[in-house]
Amino acid sequence: MQETQGIKKKSKERTGDAVHRLVSRFEEWNNDMYFMEVCGDRIVVNHHYSGIKILNLQLEPVDELNLFDGVMIYHAYSDGDKKRMVLYCAENGCLVPVDLAEMKSAVIPLEGAMRQTAFSPVHRWQEKELLLLDYSGNPYRVDLSEGHVRFCTEKAGMFGNTASLIRQHRLIHFEDGMLVLETPSGENIRVFDLTGRLITEVGKPEGNWHSAVYHDGGLIFASETRIVGVRNHATRFVLEPEPSEYFLKVKMTGDRHLWVLSSDPSHPEKSRISQYRV
């Protein structure tokens, strides 16, 4: 395995009035990374198909946690302050609570018809439970102490107008209580909070975007070959991959750091995480 951490790049690139700078980078061979989540001061990625690897914010590996063979992470529900997260593994019909402080995990099996339920990224944390919505807007309660999941209509009010919004739009992303939704026409992106209040609406830039992330009043669109930051209908920054990579996932944190997971199309086993200041 070959790893490269903390590569510093002093040069800056400018697009319009925005400046983005490569701060650090982590590269790894023989690990087909497809998952990345920021949880507090940790970056969590899949470690092969059996566990997770944890890096600090300088992109230095600090720990690994084995889960089980064949784990496939569809969504991660992160409670960053408490360094806990729940992984959704639809392939194996289970939820996997992970405590990053204690480096412990458990498995909560989905029973009966719930194995066919498609849980969405929409969630709310409470002290000892996690509330989820499926893509039809139905609410579920995950009891983290008892280790079970149940349909829970009395919790529907915790999500405000979210259920009706995701029935009327295509859900693109959810994070920090913000819904990123594509309009039925497919031309615009709308951002709502959980009360149903419209925060912003922008037209999609040209391109085949696989994700859109809301942050601090703006949207970040990502495709395999381009990342574009938009605010107030103006382009803030543009990132293009190096010839040996394509973009898979992006995450933005409150300190204006953009985390980008990419892969090498000619060597799928080679993965890279880049940290930019934008």
Side-chain angles (χ1 to χ4, degrees):
M1 180 183 298
Q2 175 182 334
E3 298 178 352
T4 305
Q5 305 108 24
I7 299 175
K8 303 296 181 182
K9 184 177 180 181
K10 296 182 179 179
S11 62
K12 296 181 179 180
E13 302 173 63
R14 182 176 295 273
T15 301
D17 294 327
V19 174
H20 55 270
R21 177 173 60 89
L22 178 62
V23 177
S24 59
R25 175 167 283 168
F26 169 80
E27 292 183 346
E28 187 173 70
W29 288 82
N30 301 321
N31 183 16
D32 180 15
M33 284 190 214
Y34 64 90
F35 164 77
M36 177 182 68
E37 179 66 45
V38 180
C39 185
D41 60 354
R42 293 290 183 260
I43 309 295
V44 181
V45 299
N46 65 291
H47 188 221
H48 305 290
Y49 294 91
S50 60
I52 54 176
K53 175 174 285 192
I54 295 89
L55 301 92
N56 61 23
L57 295 183
Q58 289 72 49
L59 293 182
E60 300 165 332
V62 295
D63 220 330
E64 295 177 6
L65 180 63
N66 188 60
L67 301 175
F68 56 84
D69 288 340
V71 64
M72 287 286 295
I73 304 168
Y74 282 62
H75 301 308
Y77 309 105
S78 171
D79 183 10
D81 292 339
K82 297 187 177 180
K83 293 185 179 178
R84 60 182 180 173
M85 60 197 315
V86 174
L87 309 176
Y88 173 37
C89 179
E91 193 84 10
N92 293 281
C94 64
L95 298 171
V96 185
V98 175
D99 185 328
L100 293 177
E102 300 290 335
M103 291 303 294
K104 298 187 301 185
S105 67
V107 175
I108 301 177
L110 299 172
E111 305 289 350
M114 209 173 294
R115 289 184 64 92
Q116 309 305 318
T117 298
F119 292 110
S120 79
V122 182
H123 67 280
R124 292 193 72 162
W125 279 91
Q126 294 188 315
E127 184 59 32
K128 294 183 179 180
E129 64 182 18
L130 175 68
L131 305 178
L132 301 177
L133 283 187
D134 64 20
Y135 278 100
S136 297
N138 300 309
Y140 297 82
R141 174 179 175 267
V142 183
D143 188 317
L144 298 173
S145 298
E146 299 295 329
H148 63 74
V149 187
R150 66 181 177 89
F151 187 73
C152 191
T153 54
E154 69 269 21
K155 296 292 186 179
M158 295 287 291
F159 292 99
N161 295 324
T162 301
S164 61
L165 287 171
I166 64 177
R167 291 179 187 131
Q168 297 166 21
H169 300 75
R170 186 171 77 91
L171 179 62
I172 303 296
H173 188 71
F174 175 84
E175 193 166 11
D176 297 329
M178 295 293 179
L179 294 148
V180 181
L181 304 167
E182 184 180 76
T183 57
S185 67
E187 296 177 355
N188 292 344
I189 297 293
R190 292 173 177 164
V191 179
F192 294 86
D193 64 17
L194 285 178
T195 70
R197 180 170 62 101
L198 179 64
I199 304 301
T200 189
E201 180 173 356
V202 301
K204 288 197 303 184
E206 291 186 7
N208 185 22
W209 310 105
H210 57 62
S211 58
V213 177
Y214 175 80
H215 177 77
D216 193 26
L219 281 160
I220 300 166
F221 293 88
S223 71
E224 290 186 353
T225 58
R226 204 165 179 236
I227 296 173
V228 177
V230 177
R231 179 181 290 166
N232 296 327
H233 305 282
T235 298
R236 290 186 57 242
F237 64 87
V238 176
L239 289 174
E240 294 182 348
E242 296 180 8
S244 62
E245 69 177 349
Y246 60 88
F247 298 136
L248 296 179
K249 289 187 179 294
V250 297
K251 298 287 293 187
M252 189 77 182
T253 51
D255 52 3
R256 293 179 55 198
H257 282 170
L258 178 68
W259 310 85
V260 180
L261 173 62
S262 58
S263 185
D264 187 329
S266 58
H267 300 284
E269 73 281 4
K270 179 183 177 183
S271 302
R272 174 183 296 156
I273 300 175
S274 301
Q275 176 191 11
Y276 294 92
R277 171 81 173 179
V278 298

